[in-house]
Amino acid sequence: MADRGVDVSALPKEVRDQLAELDLELSEGDITQKGYEKKRTKLLAPYFIHSPGKTHQLYIHTEAVQAALAKHKEEKMALPMPTKRRSTYVQSPIQARTPPDSSSGSEDETSARRQSAVVAPPPSANSNLQSPDSWINRSVQGSSTSSSASSTLSHGEAKPQPQSQLPPTAAVTDMLAHSRIGNNAPPPDVTAGAPPSRGSRVDLPSNAVVRGMSRGQSRSSMMETADGVPVSSRVSTKIQQLLNTLKRPKRPPLSEFFTDDSEEIVEVPQPDPNTPKPEGRQIIPVKGEPLGVVSNWPPALQAALARWGATQGKSPALTALDITGRVLYTLTYGKLWSRSVKLAYTLLNKLGTKNEQILKPGDRVALVYPNSDPGMFWVSFYGCLLAEVIPVPIEVPLSRKDAGISQVGFLLGSCGVGLALTSEICLKGLPKTPTGEILQFKGWPRLKWVVTDSKYLTKPSKDWQPHIPTANTDPAYIEYKASKDSTVVGVAVSKVAMLTHCQALTQACNYCEGETLVNVLDFKKDMGLWHGVLTAVMNRIHTISVPYAVMKACPLSWVQRVHIHKARIALVKCRDLHWAMMAHRDQRDTSLASLRMLIVADGANPWSVSSCDAFLNVFQSHGLKPEVICPCATSPEAMTVAIRRPGVLGTPLPARAILSMGGLSHGVIRVNTEDKNSALTVQDVGHVMPGALMCIVKPDGPPQLCKTDEIGEIIINSRAGGTMYYNLPGVTKNTFEVIPVNANGVPIGEIPFVRSGLLGFVGPGSLIFVVGKIEGLLMVSGRRHNADDLVATALAVEPVKTVYRGRIAVFSVTVFYDERVVIVAEQRPDASEEDSFQWMSRVLQAIDSIHQVGLYCLALVPANTLPKTPLGGIHISDTKQFFLDGNLHPCNILMCPHTCVTNLPKPRQKQPVGVGPASVMVGNLVAGKRIAQAAGRDLGMIEDQDLVRKHQYLTEALHWRAQTDPDHVLYVLLNAKGVTVSTASCVQLHKRAEKIAAALTEKGSINTGENVVLLYPPGIDLIAAFYGCLYAGCVPVNVRPPHPQNLAATLPTVRMIIDVSKAACILTTQNLMRTLRSKEAAASVNIKTWPMIIDTDDLPRRRPPQIYKPPTAEMIAYLDFSVSTTGMLTGVKISHAAVSALCRSVKLQCELYSSRQIAICLDPYCGLGFVLWCLASVYSGHQSILIPPFELESCSSLWLSTLSQYRIRDTFCSYSVMELCIKGLGTQTDLLKARGVNLSCVRSCVVIAEERPRLALTHSFSKLFKDVGLSSRAVSTAFGSRVNLAICLQGTTGPDPCTVYVDMKSLRHDRLRLVERGAPQSLPLMESGKILPGVRVIIVNPETRGPLGDSHLGEIWVNSPHNASGYYTIYGEESLQADHFNTKLSFGDPQTLWARTGYLGFVKRTELLEASGDRHDALFVVGSLDETLELRGLRYHPTDIETSVSRAHRSIAESAVFTWTNLLVVVSELCGSEQDALDLVPLITNVVLEEHHLIVGVVVIVDPGVIPINSRGEKQRMHLRDSFLADQLDPIYVAYNM
């Protein structure tokens, strides 16, 4: 490691230039690696930090991390870098982004890598598989040219390693051969025809060759993925890398079989027989030295102040510094005493009126002073002690949004604080309301504010003296403490404990009268208060207080103060050591020789060792003696637990322990010998305090004494400790009154101990070692990890360029029955995305190697956005809350659920299909199950012979109506204003149809049986054209017209249907005819090859020679074309017989007669929507009011006001119409009421769809319009499919649709278990309307084709006279057989012919009764079989996962899921601001894991409207998938979950 300890950026410019030149020489091959190393070392030699021998091994942890990372070096990183859209909020400017081949990697990083490249032998393929980090993939050498992909190669790494003989692809493939799980066939190359990715997002021109390849490697070998599948787009390269990552065996082997049992759903990690167990004997309590009795120790702390105030009044007590580090004022003991007395007098006598006194001794008072004003604080604190009121020091509130502000309110409330002391300046700075009053902070009690500046205090009369009793057990002050769950409690310290603690510290630290002490710590609590305010006054010490603000401006100020004042003691944290080291170059002549104690307050932290060592390294030459460094361990409850005593020159230095991380995670002490990488070096924190007794007990469960080689919680018995959590007796008992027990559970004595919250052990010579805090403990899969250790590891991964040192939060969140580790850090503004991503991937590897724990999520947020504690630390609990609420707004995120979620249920093994039909039948009989089948009522015989003639064909029905009831209006078309635009009576429709038939035969010379495309907007023209085709004997093909604003997307579909149906002619309007022949149309299709186009707007009055009558009813009446949700275009043939049967069935179900009126608001282009719009009225004679759905976009109340105005009883709509109404009228129900809209007339409102009923949507619709009289029973759904356009329709009679709650876990197994409403993992499903007359359905196993029992989910098969006759053609899947239409069961009833709907569902017998008196069988549709996702052997329905995802965060507008090979991809539309985009990634991953037990592979965040939706409002997931794989989505962010 040539340049360890050299900050390259701080080198003189000429040296940096020389280094750059050297790098260039190496990259161009003008110098050997060895020569390069030699020259470089020589250049950097003068800037080295020399370590003074073995004792101070510099940055022990950093080296472990470097070594751990080097282990991964041969294996190439397989983490695909997330794709991020360049947008306003991304910090790194485009110019600053380094192309992947520039050597912008940090200098020492490159050299480290080169060394590892030279030294490390290539591990064999097999050995790699056993290594714990086998999930890191040695992926392909190259990658696609876009910078985001190539950045997955770390800088300088793409040079071929001299010792690897195999070409990289071969090596990988070979390795995969060993680690393949199952027989994964290579994924199909769906991306071969992908268009080039958009220029704006590719940082290199597409023809740039990636440098850093050896000249021998060709481009093609680089572009192959590990399976040898050529890839041509960035996305698929990354997905391929991700798949390779997943092919690694997971750490816990998947068990053999699946048991379908909810208790077994989560694999409980079995205890590993090899886990280390403690073997030592039971620990013996450790006793501190006796507390010496000194004759002149004061009887109370106030007495010491009184003594010095009277006898040593001129002697300095406190020096405060201003923001620049200069002396602001010095407070003498005389002044301190007199001002404290004045304050005590004022508090007791001058607040309130003469008669009623506001404060009494024993009351609690808040002290609110800024960190920059220690003098005021001292006066207030001692003033309160003299007045015998109890001070509660808290931080100054800065705004309503302060981190943890409401918890401070809880503290003030629990302590009963009503009065706050503050300084005038501080009071002015507090946030105010517009009227000038101080804000009422969230959760705070009402406070009275008192200013304590001298000018507002009253001098006491001569005879008034403060009462100073001997110290007793009453509380002296209350120190606040924030616990892990962010609650803030007050630890009460009694007067005697305060005094005893000062005595113990005086004895332990050997304080002498008149010494000088420099304090950098917070003087309101902990060590800063105990040493710098209390013990200092007891010993007449001169304290120099260095506030945090000064440290930020001038990190060396404390070192300068020690030098100037020849201070004997300094109180610091590791952070201060680190900052001083960073800045020490500016100082040559400072001397630290006067120090006899450098007390390191957080010396118990794991990274304190390296800070102390490094600081000693730098400042030993400035007179710092090794023995003066004194780490200590403290906690608010136990106060000082242990402190290292100041050493004597020449004595051996204190101890170090090098412990195994693995052992620590199991709570045992094992000295680390083999693997230096996973070792933790801890330093001792000295001996137990004088007069104290200490034990180590198990941290959880009863306080059982630990064994000598076991880590446990330190508990203390001493007079110098906290006495209780003020006013919280319950929690107090568990912490302050602990009686340790032995292995048999017998208490070892009577005396109570206090829990310190510190984890540690007792080393040789009774030295105390602390390895962490209880509140930083993360319990993952039964192992303990310390947050501080993880921070130390993350920091050791050369973080300087990417993140800020002190701004890293580590916490765990509970996801899927276990704790998951999350790390959040603040990213530097100048860090490039590649650097950040590389740093993140290396942190993952390091933590995985060293701690053997997988990270769940690693997030980087922009600088200064994490919630801070007042003195600059990160507020962990608030950060965690932000993460869980989706308010963290990260700028980079990496989720790794695949590596750390190891407790997923075992994949389901499919039962072999070889079970015979007979055994299934017998099985069902034995189990008492019914066969799942149901039927609508009989169509019945038609009595009236005259009607039979009339209803054989629709043409005849229309002709007959035109003769018998010519003026009866069949159709009324409304516009957006609700005005009738056109109507059609029976005779008008008949005449218009005749005109069109004549035009077809004369103009178009169309022969009977030829197909004619109808291209019309929703309206009456469409209906006339349909009947015109039937009159002429042609087959109409109804097609949705292209959207004039979006021809490029909609016209190709029209063209495709025209080509597929081999249409002889197009009937359309003049406007659309112009569109078809326009220049815009020519851009997307060939307009010269349209078939003949006839516009039907102004046809001459002609009659056809005769109206065509088909020879048999089995002939085709029309073709119904539709694009399925899987993106397949299917046309089905509907015969005349099917048309009549369907119309009759609908007529019976909905009771339609000539006198009835219905309103239709849906698209009339296919399925049941077309039947209702064009066919039903002619058959039944009722009047249809037609409302084109697009009119609702300009007037959302059109449909509902029409229902009200015409007093409509039955109406039909689509889901998209419902959504328009909810969005457009959600807030306007009162307005509708005022306009007189009343929906109480509506008896049935049926949603026409080919999908599972959208329960949430129909519910919110009913709920919303309940106010305008809509009955909750009115809304229901219909169900149809391609093979049968109408299977269910609610109708007017029969029981209401019922809702059941199904257990989702059972559905995944194709089983059915009904549960109570509100049960966990329950899914509400609504019946899809009543089965139509003449329809029979049966539930069938799609694999065996045998009927199923009613507790199973299976495919819905249907038998009915209105089944379609077959596919006209299926575009893109010609092989789809006719078995969709005429299929027989494999057993049971082998005679009946069924059609397969392609939908999964089940039949349930309900408690409701049919009209006939039988119990009603309800059909429930669950989802399309083609859409289901097969993952882990289970069957998932995309809509269930999407529902969960949409609930995850308020900014998710819509989402869609699909799989690619074995990855689950979630695409979510973001409706918030772009900075929310990355918040969604963990929330989506969490919710899918929790609710569906699946790990999301890729999360794609896109703009609203990107998820394609077809005309029926259904998501086109396959289109979306194709666009994703072809990289056409222009996503805001793509996250690849490892």
Side-chain angles (χ1 to χ4, degrees), residues 859-874:
L860 297 183
V861 299
N864 296 318
T865 54
L866 286 181
K868 304 277 193 298
T869 56
L871 291 183
I874 299 298

Side-chain angles (χ1 to χ4, degrees), residues 1318-1376:
Q1321 294 270 327
S1322 65
L1323 173 71
L1325 290 173
M1326 182 163 89
E1327 179 187 357
S1328 298
K1330 299 288 159 288
I1331 296 173
L1332 280 165
V1335 176
R1336 286 171 60 198
V1337 295
I1338 186 162
I1339 306 298
V1340 177
N1341 180 327
E1343 274 97 32
T1344 64
R1345 304 196 176 191
L1348 288 169
D1350 65 358
S1351 61
H1352 284 261
L1353 181 69
E1355 187 180 5
I1356 302 167
W1357 286 17
V1358 58
N1359 163 279
S1360 117
H1362 63 253
N1363 275 6
S1365 321
Y1367 290 122
Y1368 181 75
T1369 174
I1370 299 176
Y1371 187 74
E1373 185 127 345
E1374 277 76 9
S1375 61
L1376 214 61

Side-chain angles (χ1 to χ4, degrees), residues 283 286 603-606 608-609 631-633 641-644 653-659 664 669 671 680-688 694-696 708 710-714 756 758-773 786:
I283 192 170
V286 181
N605 254 340
S608 64
V609 186
C632 64
V641 171
I643 186 164
R644 200 185 282 172
L653 276 173
R656 289 279 160 92
I658 298 178
L659 308 176
L664 284 180
I669 302 157
V671 175
L680 176 72
T681 306
V682 284
Q683 58 184 354
D684 71 278
V685 288
H687 292 90
V688 186
M694 185 185 92
C695 296
I696 312 270
T708 46
E710 195 173 359
I711 305 272
E713 184 176 7
I714 297 174
S756 68
L758 300 174
L759 295 169
F761 62 95
V762 180
S766 296
L767 284 173
I768 311 300
F769 289 87
V770 173
V771 295
K773 294 192 177 76
N786 195 329

Side-chain angles (χ1 to χ4, degrees), residues 241-252:
Q241 287 176 321
L242 188 51
L243 287 169
N244 294 342
T245 310
L246 298 186
K247 281 178 193 152
R248 301 273 167 280
K250 294 284 179 314
R251 228 169 279 148

